[in-house]
């Protein structure tokens, strides 16, 4: 009888079959987390960031800013540790960050600095000044190319310029990987504009895969839509059933988390939504059960949840604990919960 032992180590899971050939598998965590208005206290020319200035509506000062950095860094550092307690996440996409100055301050926080975490950020056209960025551990991911693919309105109306799609390409575990970090138009806009984002990201993914069929692509972000909404299920082509993912489709593991388990990443009017998603190209899947882990393969996914991320009293008990609520500073985290996917690859 074969027995299987699983030991979680620094960055790998060691699986040893007693009566079979010993194999080792590297495990890597990839996450996403909406930082909810991570602004500094300095006005950026041309941006509507006045709410987050010392004399603005939020009375945003140095004390609040550094408390926010500390809180967000503590969560980012803990992501991925459910299965990799000594390593955490290799790569984390983030949204709602103001600029590179904020990102530099964030990765200088002790729990991220001690791991040598670095970042990629490209300033975008959003009127409020919020962008997407990618945080990574250089031990596990080496970026080689990055660019900001613009979100293009068909009306060509620059008045509504919004976040582009941050695209970072590089190497993880020897494989070619691309991370596309998104923050699609808010629910203040009709579905059409998020569907437009879905079509544009799908075209971007298709062009990347056409140039390199071995490229493994992760599309992540705050989509402002649930997995079954048209922008995700149709425009982007992110499928629910792993067995029905075609060559040009993507796999979305979050669909059943919301539909069957009733869990999500943000709450509105007492109901969970799951806007924060990480979807992936079919070359990351073992859909046919071949157990071929010679290249990176999807293993598991989770919503990162800790008690301290929730309100524990009052009118909004059970909701995520935000930085502000009703104009009151709560010294919280975000209105969103983070998400994580785990990948494995055999170590030869």
């Amino acid at each position: 009888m074969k027995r299987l032992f699983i030991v979680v180590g620094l960055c790998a899971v060691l699986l040893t079959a007693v009566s079979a050939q010993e194999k080792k598998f590297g495990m890597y965590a990839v996450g996403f987390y909406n930082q909810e208005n991570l602004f500094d206290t300095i006005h950026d020319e041309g941006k509507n960031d006045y709410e987050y200035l010392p004399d603005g509506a939020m009375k945003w000062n140095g004390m609040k800013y550094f408390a926010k950095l500390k809180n967000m860094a503590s969560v980012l550092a803990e992501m991925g540790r459910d299965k990799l307690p000594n390593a955490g996440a290799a790569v984390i996409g983030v949204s709602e960050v103001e600029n590179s100055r904020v990102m530099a301050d964030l990765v200088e926080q002790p729990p991220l600095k001690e791991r040598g975490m670095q970042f990629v950020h490209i300033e975008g056209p959003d009127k409020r000044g919020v962008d997407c960025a990618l945080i990574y551990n250089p031990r596990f991911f080496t970026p080689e190319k990055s660019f900001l693919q613009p979100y293009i309105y068909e009306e060509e109306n620059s008045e509504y310029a919004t976040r582009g799609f941050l695209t970072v390409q590089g190497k993880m575990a020897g494989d070619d990987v691309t991370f596309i970090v998104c923050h699609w138009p808010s629910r203040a806009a009709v579905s059409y504009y998020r569907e437009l984002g879905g079509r544009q990201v799908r075209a971007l993914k298709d062009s990347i895969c056409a140039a390199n069929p071995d490229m493994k692509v992760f599309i992540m972000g705050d989509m402002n839509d649930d997995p079954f909404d048209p922008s995700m299920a149709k425009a982007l082509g992110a499928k629910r059933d792993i067995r029905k993912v075609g060559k040009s489709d993507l796999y979305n593991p979050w669909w059943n988390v919301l539909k069957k388990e009733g869990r999500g990443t943000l709450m509105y009017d007492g109901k969970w939504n799951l806007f924060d998603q990480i979807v992936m190209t079919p070359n990351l899947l073992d859909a046919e059960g071949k157990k071929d882990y010679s290249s990176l393969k999807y293993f598991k996914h989770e919503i990162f949840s800790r008690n301290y991320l929730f309100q524990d009293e009052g009118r909004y008990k059970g909701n995520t604990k935000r930085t502000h609520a009703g104009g009151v500073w709560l010294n919280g985290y975000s209105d969103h919960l983070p998400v994580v996917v785990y990948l494995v690859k055999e170590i030869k």
Side-chain angles (χ1 to χ4, degrees), residues 14-236:
L14 176 64
L15 298 98
T16 305
V18 173
S19 59
Q21 183 180 1
E22 181 181 282
K23 290 185 178 182
K24 294 181 180 180
F25 295 83
M27 178 180 280
Y28 306 86
V30 172
F32 174 81
Y33 191 21
N34 182 320
Q35 303 290 281
E36 193 195 16
N37 297 318
L38 181 50
F39 284 87
D40 60 23
T41 63
I42 304 166
H43 173 57
D44 281 6
E45 189 66 32
K47 302 296 185 180
N48 184 14
D49 58 1
Y50 299 104
E51 188 178 22
Y52 283 88
L53 295 176
D55 58 354
M58 296 299 179
K59 305 298 181 186
W60 195 244
N61 55 30
M63 182 272 290
K64 291 181 179 180
Y65 173 56
F66 285 104
K68 173 81 169 178
L69 288 171
K70 178 182 178 181
N71 288 353
M72 303 317 291
S74 67
V75 180
L76 292 164
E78 199 174 349
M79 290 170 62
R81 285 189 165 176
D82 286 342
K83 292 179 175 57
L84 297 168
N86 297 316
V91 171
I92 305 172
V94 294
S95 65
E96 293 198 24
V97 297
E98 186 180 15
N99 49 42
S100 291
R101 184 169 55 242
V102 161
M103 291 303 302
D105 288 343
L106 182 62
V107 298
E108 277 294 304
Q109 298 301 300
L112 298 179
K113 184 177 182 179
E114 69 184 17
R115 274 193 253 160
M117 301 296 275
Q118 299 180 21
F119 70 92
V120 177
H121 168 265
I122 299 173
E123 186 68 31
D126 185 82
K127 292 297 184 181
R128 288 184 66 232
V130 291
D131 299 320
C132 294
L134 191 81
I135 301 171
Y136 65 93
N137 188 328
R139 293 173 58 198
F140 307 126
F141 174 66
T142 303
E144 298 175 339
K145 178 182 178 181
S146 61
F147 58 92
L148 186 66
Q149 183 79 3
Y151 177 106
I152 299 173
Y153 282 91
E154 291 178 345
E155 301 92 336
E156 297 184 1
N157 190 340
S158 61
E159 179 182 352
Y160 299 107
T162 191
R163 287 86 52 176
F165 316 120
L166 178 67
T167 305
V168 184
Q169 299 179 305
K171 295 281 190 182
M172 177 182 284
D175 288 11
D176 293 327
V177 294
T178 295
F179 300 100
I180 303 174
V181 190
C182 306
H183 188 182
W184 290 357
S186 77
R187 285 263 167 140
V190 296
S191 175
Y192 167 80
Y193 291 103
R194 292 181 294 282
E195 294 172 49
L196 184 59
R199 289 195 293 272
Q200 291 180 24
V201 173
R202 185 171 189 166
L204 172 61
K205 180 265 299 181
D206 287 347
S207 68
I208 291 170
C209 292
N212 180 359
D214 293 327
M215 183 69 74
K216 293 174 166 59
V217 181
F218 298 87
I219 298 169
M220 62 174 70
D222 174 1
M223 309 306 191
N224 275 305
D225 266 336
D226 288 317
F228 45 78
D229 286 325
S231 65
M232 292 298 297
K234 295 182 179 179
L236 185 61

